Amino acid sequence: MRILNLQSRMIYCGAVLLAALLGLGTRAYGNLLPHFVSEHFGDAIWAGMIYLASRVLLVRHPLWMSLVLSLCFSFGIEFSQLYQAEWILHVRATTLGSLILGHGFLWIDLVRYTAGILFCWTVDQILQN
């Protein structure tokens, strides 16, 4: 059982890394991608990466727990963008802060996050059965 958990964690870690690279790719090469992809996929991939990262931590728990946790985390990050104190604006001005916390609240991001998380959860459901 421990070996299976370790293998699952390693697979999820690989998927997190792949998602991070794909997400960064949509930002770096957005001008080469179709407009719809460059406009929406980065946020969806980011949220999917959050789901996959939660699976690394919760590999022994049901998939629905990661679904709920990643939705709450992603929505929490988006709603935190309504908070505009000077100290957090300085954090968001850094590359890492910008990638994790974003900049401005957008309702459409909630849709993008939901789509990315549901996609990863659905693939996870299929692969688990």
Side-chain angles (χ1 to χ4, degrees):
M1 188 61 129
R2 292 190 91 157
I3 293 174
L4 182 59
N5 289 337
L6 180 60
Q7 287 175 332
S8 295
R9 280 192 170 93
M10 295 303 292
I11 290 168
Y12 283 120
C13 282
V16 168
L17 181 59
L18 178 61
L21 292 173
L22 289 172
L24 290 171
T26 65
R27 300 295 189 221
Y29 302 104
N31 59 327
L32 302 175
L33 298 169
H35 179 71
F36 183 84
V37 172
S38 66
E39 184 76 17
H40 301 290
F41 277 40
D43 290 322
I45 293 170
W46 177 86
M49 183 187 70
I50 298 302
Y51 170 82
L52 295 166
S54 75
R55 291 305 303 151
V56 171
L57 300 173
L58 303 173
V59 72
R60 289 190 229 151
H61 294 83
L63 299 179
W64 67 264
M65 288 180 98
S66 291
L67 174 73
V68 171
L69 179 67
S70 56
L71 282 169
C72 289
F73 180 84
S74 299
F75 279 42
I77 291 291
E78 190 64 26
F79 282 108
S80 78
Q81 294 171 15
L82 295 170
Y83 180 66
Q84 297 290 314
E86 191 171 323
W87 71 270
I88 200 161
L89 292 176
H90 288 302
V91 173
R92 288 184 181 126
T94 67
T95 301
L96 187 59
S98 175
L99 289 171
I100 296 170
L101 300 176
H103 290 283
F105 178 84
L106 296 172
W107 286 104
I108 190 66
D109 284 350
L110 301 176
V111 175
R112 294 170 182 152
Y113 298 159
T114 302
I117 291 167
L118 285 176
F119 175 80
C120 288
W121 176 77
T122 300
V123 170
D124 212 2
Q125 287 272 61
I126 291 167
L127 294 176
Q128 296 269 333
N129 292 327

